[in-house]
């Protein structure tokens, strides 16, 4: 399939999942372009996709300025873990950050936003499966992190999670939705190539789709 056909297919699947759940298909498709070069990204841009996700600040800084000049209206999301010492660069480059997960990062982002004057919306990343190898705030520590973010005037876009890879994702998506509702947050960044339809059925507002759009990515 062409990039335009692949993109249309993903949107159709989102719409079907939303209809099945009795909700509007108002879901932002974040095309995860990490490890892919401009030549791979350009066909999707030409097909009309404007929201993209990257894992690393340096990688995004290297390839996106030129693409943004050629394709106005691009919205860039940081979906990977963010080191506190990269906060200023991230605030300058990205339009949304999906990986706010600790107090030190709240402080670093708040400082960077105050200096730059840019208030970048952030999703608080929740370690929904309590996996020690993954980033994300523990569920019990979420209220404290959200309070710190609000006190620091960081705009909260919602909650984000990556469920355990070897388990049925639906219960984890449902739990994230419950946590978001409890804390007065409407945004839910959940669902990837293998499970985005399930995420949409359970209320996702943002799905992060890579391989279903770009094919298998090479490891670097």
């Amino acid at each position: 399939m062409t990039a335009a056909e692949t993109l249309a297919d993903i949107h159709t699947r989102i719409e079907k999942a939303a209809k099945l759940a009795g909700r509007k298909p108002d879901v932002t498709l974040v095309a995860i372009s990490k490890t892919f070069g401009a030549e791979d990204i350009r066909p999707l841009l030409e097909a009309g996709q404007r929201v993209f996700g990257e894992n690393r600040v340096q990688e995004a800084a290297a390839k996106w300025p030129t693409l943004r000049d050629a394709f106005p209206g691009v919205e860039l999301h940081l979906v990977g873990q963010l080191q506190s010492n990269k906060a200023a660069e991230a605030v300058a480059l990205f339009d949304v950050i999906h990986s706010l997960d600790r107090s030190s990062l709240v402080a670093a982002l708040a400082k960077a936003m105050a200096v730059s004057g840019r208030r970048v919306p952030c999703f608080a990343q929740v370690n929904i499966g309590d996996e020690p190898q993954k980033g994300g705030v523990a569920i019990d520590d979420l209220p404290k992190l959200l309070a710190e973010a609000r006190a620091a005037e960081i705009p909260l876009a919602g909650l984000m999670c990556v469920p355990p890879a070897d388990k049925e994702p639906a219960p984890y998506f449902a739990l994230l939705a419950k946590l978001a509702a409890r804390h007065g947050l409407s945004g839910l960044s959940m669902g990837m190539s293998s499970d985005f339809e399930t995420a949409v059925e359970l209320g996702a507002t943002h799905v992060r789709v890579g391989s279903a759009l770009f094919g298998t990515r090479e490891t670097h």
Side-chain angles (χ1 to χ4, degrees), residues 174-207:
L175 176 56
L176 194 75
K178 184 178 179 182
L179 290 169
R182 181 182 300 165
H183 293 288
L185 297 168
S186 58
L188 289 169
S189 171
M190 59 188 197
M192 297 187 288
S193 288
S194 62
D195 55 20
F196 70 87
E197 287 150 306
T198 301
V200 169
E201 288 179 36
L202 290 165
T205 60
H206 294 68
V207 292

Side-chain angles (χ1 to χ4, degrees), residues 7 10-11 14 27-31 49 51-52 206-207 209 213:
L7 185 60
I10 298 293
H11 279 295
I14 288 172
V27 179
T28 299
L29 172 61
V30 184
Q49 177 66 21
V51 185
F52 290 84
H206 294 68
V207 292
V209 178
L213 283 169

